Amino acid sequence: MKYLPTIGLEVHAHLATKSKMFCGCKTDFGAEPNVQTCPVCIGMPGTLPVPNELAIDYAIRVAVALNCNITQVTYFDRKNYYYPDLPKNYQISQSHNNLGDDGWIDIDIDGETMRINIDNVHLEEDAGKRVHSEGSGTRYSEVDLNRTGTPLLEVVTKPDMHTLEQVDAFMNDFRSMLLYMGVCDCKMQEGSLRFEASVSVAPEGASELGPRCELKNLNSMKSVLKAAEYEIGRQTSVLKNGGQNKQETRLWDDERGVSARMRRKEGSADYRYFPEPDLILLNISDERLARIRDELPEFAGRRSKRFQTEYGLPAYDAGVLVADAATADYFERLAAQTNDPKAASNWIMTEIMREMKDRKIEIEEFSGKVPAHRLGALIKEQKSGTISHNIAKEVFAEMVETGEDAPAIIERKGLRQISDTGELDAVVEKVLAENPSAVDDFKSGKKQAVGFLVGQIMRETKGKANPKVVNKLLAEKLG
Ligand code: ZN
Ligand code: MN
């Protein structure tokens, strides 16, 4: 008997607003515990929530990008629970009337388009964090309420995925969309982007899905894939042994590579959802919706195709460049500066990416050191023959270090390429006179001897000789 796994994802993303969802507290990561709090977010009686307009805009932006139907008149619900890190003991969320429903996103699997349906997109607030002190002796947790009330977007997919490859593609594409829209910093290690996977396994051809397990504590995309793989194996072997799987929530242990039952899954009735009485209806005007639709960026997939047609880049280059929106922006500025897209792409994919890796910086910081117009000036110097490619790399390193302009460095260090035939002629004569055996080798048919002679000429001129002129001179003199 063959078994078919089915996977759905639930995504939680912190919206990148400066303040919280229902109060003015900051949302910075890593602040001293409990300093980013106020009576509203710590749930003092008598306080009232005030919604964050920008967070609502961001949430609509995602819902629109995911092709959802937008509920223009909607409201928030209270989700009641015992939350040690959300002192109100309810989360303001949406249950009955989500901001967005029935959307989809197309992902690319080996060149084939696959549509993943989106069940809903809704807006809520995050809970705080329980901090478990280091060491084994402590029998208590501490609570940090800085995160309490952070705007949180939840996206729920339909159970449309059946392979890990599809899950991986969805996660990467969705993350890329969030980054392109600037609505989430997507730092999984800081918890700004979290995935939970629902996995079920059923005999192939079965009319119903098996009971699903929700996997929690997945701190990276890699853990999502590892946990899903483990869970598919576990459920399949239960079925193979004649057993039955149960609907439950399981906690993933990344270090041990296993999941363990956390709790039997509550039904949604257990949360006693009811409309949040402290907030009025959320009314999204046609104008607001139209403005947000207009502001949607060109996403990575389409941008990559444009880079191939508009700039004539190979698919590989285009894919690397659009993986990060800011890198793609830098490329477009550089290509405009140099009128040579392929040279721009080569510089980014080799020199710039190496510098970023060595210095552990992102393109934004790099661009602060060497803006596209300055690198463009360097590439122009190289293309006009003022300097060779190797010297250009040397100048580039200096630019990153000092922030100086390329022409200034070339002048200061005397790096201008020697293209003057008269000047080079003397050097070539000298090298030929000093290396009679290489000359003999060449004349007796060892053509590679010319490489040695060019090397010697480069050494004499500290790399500044124009290779074209040198080769021409050598050809003349060696016959
Ligand atoms: Zn607050
Ligand atoms: Mn949620």
Side-chain angles (χ1 to χ4, degrees):
M1 167 110 49
K2 275 192 142 184
Y3 295 93
L4 181 70
T6 298
I7 305 153
L9 291 174
E10 240 181 67
V11 195
H12 282 96
H14 277 168
L15 294 175
T17 54
K18 296 227 175 334
S19 60
K20 292 187 180 180
M21 187 62 226
F22 297 112
C23 64
C25 289
K26 284 189 182 173
T27 54
D28 299 343
F29 179 83
E32 277 286 294
N34 298 308
V35 296
Q36 293 172 174
T37 54
C38 74
V40 176
C41 55
I42 62 175
M44 289 297 170
T47 58
L48 288 170
V50 178
N52 182 330
E53 285 289 310
L54 187 61
I56 294 170
D57 268 10
Y58 282 0
I60 299 171
R61 203 181 284 181
V62 177
V64 167
L66 293 174
N67 307 291
C68 289
N69 297 323
I70 307 298
T71 315
Q72 284 183 250
V73 180
T74 180
Y75 54 88
F76 289 95
D77 294 290
R78 279 191 187 181
K79 182 182 185 179
N80 298 281
Y81 199 63
Y82 179 73
Y83 295 100
D85 42 17
L86 186 58
K88 297 190 299 242
N89 268 345
Y90 58 82
Q91 178 193 35
I92 302 180
S93 179
Q94 294 191 294
S95 166
H96 300 304
N97 228 334
N98 295 307
L99 194 62
D101 285 301
D102 302 322
W104 49 265
I105 142 175
D106 281 339
I107 58 171
D108 186 82
I109 302 287
D110 289 333
E112 301 242 337
T113 301
M114 178 185 174
R115 182 157 292 187
I116 308 290
N117 291 289
I118 305 295
D119 185 86
N120 76 80
V121 173
H122 65 265
L123 188 52
E124 55 191 32
E125 57 180 335
D126 205 357
K129 243 190 277 191
R130 267 161 288 167
V131 184
H132 310 283
S133 304
E134 299 282 322
S136 54
T138 45
R139 296 181 51 92
Y140 58 88
S141 300
E142 293 168 306
V143 174
D144 175 4
L145 299 176
N146 282 345
R147 199 176 70 180
T148 306
T150 299
L152 191 63
L153 185 81
E154 181 169 339
V155 174
V156 184
T157 77
K158 298 272 190 201
D160 280 354
M161 289 161 272
H162 301 285
T163 69
L164 297 178
E165 198 191 4
Q166 292 162 2
V167 174
D168 196 29
F170 174 85
M171 289 192 296
N172 278 299
D173 284 8
F174 182 66
R175 178 176 177 276
S176 159
M177 286 175 82
L178 293 179
L179 288 170
Y180 260 80
M181 288 187 280
V183 298
C184 175
D185 67 20
C186 294
K187 292 183 179 160
M188 291 192 74
Q189 67 283 10
E190 294 181 4
S192 342
L193 179 63
R194 313 193 288 260
F195 291 97
E196 281 160 20
S198 283
V199 177
S200 68
V201 174
E204 215 169 62
S207 56
E208 275 180 39
L209 296 178
R212 64 198 174 98
C213 284
E214 247 176 64
L215 294 164
K216 296 207 181 269
N217 193 38
L218 310 174
N219 298 321
S220 65
M221 293 202 223
K222 221 187 235 165
S223 348
V224 174
L225 298 174
K226 271 164 65 185
E229 185 176 26
Y230 172 85
E231 190 56 26
I232 292 167
R234 190 189 66 81
Q235 292 186 27
T236 306
S237 75
V238 168
L239 294 179
K240 276 190 177 154
N241 293 317
Q244 279 195 333
N245 291 305
K246 292 185 191 70
Q247 181 169 336
E248 59 194 15
T249 301
R250 295 179 71 89
L251 200 63
W252 173 247
D253 182 333
D254 206 45
E255 235 157 75
R256 290 170 56 223
V258 295
S259 66
R261 178 193 295 175
M262 191 167 126
R263 57 172 188 248
R264 296 294 295 278
K265 181 68 185 162
E266 308 77 3
S268 115
D270 298 327
Y271 293 120
R272 297 291 186 270
Y273 280 103
F274 63 86
E276 165 61 60
D278 288 343
L279 289 168
I280 56 169
L281 287 180
L282 175 59
N283 208 322
I284 302 162
S285 69
D286 293 341
E287 294 74 35
R288 187 176 186 184
L289 196 53
R291 169 178 58 79
I292 292 171
R293 271 188 213 284
D294 280 350
E295 281 169 4
L296 279 191
E298 175 190 36
F299 289 110
R302 189 184 292 176
R303 199 171 194 186
S304 161
K305 291 205 178 83
R306 179 167 65 80
F307 278 16
Q308 292 169 56
T309 51
E310 187 179 326
Y311 298 111
L313 291 184
Y316 177 79
D317 289 39
V320 172
L321 295 173
V322 304
D324 171 58
T327 304
D329 292 344
Y330 190 94
F331 163 77
E332 296 215 69
R333 290 197 298 273
L334 190 58
Q337 285 287 325
T338 57
N339 253 325
D340 187 344
K342 184 59 185 153
S345 157
N346 287 346
W347 272 88
I348 294 173
M349 298 207 312
T350 55
E351 303 306 313
I352 294 184
M353 290 197 169
R354 205 200 50 242
E355 284 290 340
M356 282 169 21
K357 195 166 157 241
D358 288 353
R359 291 166 189 267
K360 297 190 177 63
I361 56 173
E362 300 290 322
I363 189 79
E364 287 84 356
E365 201 179 326
F366 172 82
S367 167
K369 289 177 188 291
V370 184
H373 70 270
R374 288 207 172 153
L375 180 55
L378 172 68
I379 296 174
K380 277 185 205 152
E381 296 277 5
Q382 184 205 327
K383 286 182 61 176
S384 70
T386 312
I387 52 172
S388 69
H389 184 61
N390 280 331
I391 296 284
K393 288 203 276 190
E394 193 184 320
V395 174
F396 173 74
E398 188 83 10
M399 288 169 77
V400 181
E401 206 54 52
T402 63
E404 226 177 320
D405 276 332
I409 296 170
I410 294 168
E411 265 342 294
R412 179 165 58 76
K413 301 187 99 182
L415 296 173
R416 203 165 283 282
Q417 184 159 263
I418 309 169
S419 302
D420 180 67
T421 316
E423 195 177 334
L424 284 178
D425 195 73
V427 183
V428 174
E429 286 294 349
K430 178 167 177 271
V431 167
L432 292 181
E434 281 169 3
N435 298 281
S437 60
V439 175
D440 289 344
D441 283 352
F442 180 83
K443 288 190 169 149
S444 64
K446 288 187 187 154
K447 298 295 177 210
Q448 66 270 31
V450 82
F452 170 78
L453 291 168
V454 171
Q456 293 304 305
I457 293 162
M458 285 299 172
R459 222 177 67 171
E460 282 290 322
T461 57
K462 300 197 170 61
K464 291 185 288 179
N466 181 330
K468 268 192 202 143
V469 181
V470 168
N471 280 316
K472 192 166 149 270
L473 286 172
L474 276 176
E476 284 167 16
K477 289 181 196 298
L478 295 171

